[in-house]
Amino acid sequence: MDVNDATTVSTDSTTAFQAQDAGGTTVLGVDTSGDRIFSGIPDSATAIGFTLDTPAYTTGGAKLFSVQNDGTEQFYIDKDGNVFVEGGKLQFNNVGNDHSALAKKFICTAAAGLFNVVIIDTANPGQVTTTTTANSPLVVGIVGAFGVTAGSECPITIGAGVTQVAVDTAAVNVGDLLVTSSTAGRATVNNSPAVGTVFGKALSSKAAGSNGTIWVLLGSG
């Protein structure tokens, strides 16, 4: 990094310290009046506000990042990108029907749309495909990206959390249990489900007669 300007001042300031690149962009700033560290990297599709880089850590136990409280570690990321929370609690602070769920990337062997339901692709271990079978016990989760093409990587919302899901033409009431539909990529209601087929509980409703999306609480049923 080329540092063109690094300034400290003796009184509180929104720019008490700045490190700028050759183009005059603040890559690191300290705001002592607001008690914050900031980046001036402009918005773009490739923007990264802060990059924390280390040498090539290969030794077991090495950590990329550690957060401590009076010397006691509360949170860290190890060399392999695994995240550890010492308190054992991960909490989403957004309230109500809002996207707040865990996702994992899979290869999707069929084209899929945003909020489509996917199942394990038994012909391709470790990959997923859109569902066309009602009440499938192979259900994995919900597509979290637009315009997924066959054979491409796709984030799949899994486990616990709140998101939206595409449902078929059946009516949905709040609290209904959701399973896979025979309509490709859709969910449907089954309040007397077989074991292993439920992936969530409806948090919003939809009238019968047309496809749509509803909010769902994942991992509840």
Side-chain angles (χ1 to χ4, degrees), residues 57-155:
Y57 289 169
T58 59
T59 305
K63 300 172 184 177
L64 303 178
F65 186 73
S66 174
V67 176
Q68 302 182 5
N69 182 5
D70 194 26
T72 301
E73 190 168 59
Q74 302 297 327
F75 169 92
Y76 70 90
I77 303 172
D78 74 6
K79 66 178 181 61
D80 299 313
N82 298 308
V83 177
F84 296 84
V85 181
E86 292 302 317
K89 179 181 180 181
L90 178 62
Q91 177 173 313
F92 298 107
N93 282 335
N94 46 346
V95 178
N97 286 348
D98 199 354
H99 295 286
S100 51
L102 301 177
K104 184 187 184 305
K105 282 189 176 181
F106 286 88
I107 299 295
C108 191
T109 58
L114 180 65
F115 304 140
N116 277 185
V117 182
V118 292
I119 60 173
I120 298 168
D121 186 342
T122 56
N124 297 279
Q127 301 181 26
V128 298
T129 188
T130 50
T131 173
T132 56
T133 303
N135 301 286
S136 174
L138 301 176
V139 63
V140 174
I142 300 168
V143 174
F146 287 98
V148 176
T149 58
S152 65
E153 287 187 357
C154 175

Side-chain angles (χ1 to χ4, degrees), residues 10-66:
S10 58
T11 57
D12 283 349
S13 169
T14 57
T15 54
F17 173 86
Q18 290 187 82
Q20 299 181 332
D21 64 16
T25 297
T26 299
V27 296
L28 176 66
V30 178
D31 173 358
T32 55
S33 65
D35 297 327
R36 69 187 185 105
I37 297 172
F38 66 91
S39 167
I41 303 296
D43 181 34
S44 75
T46 58
I48 302 176
F50 295 100
T51 300
L52 303 177
D53 199 3
T54 66
Y57 289 169
T58 59
T59 305
K63 300 172 184 177
L64 303 178
F65 186 73
S66 174

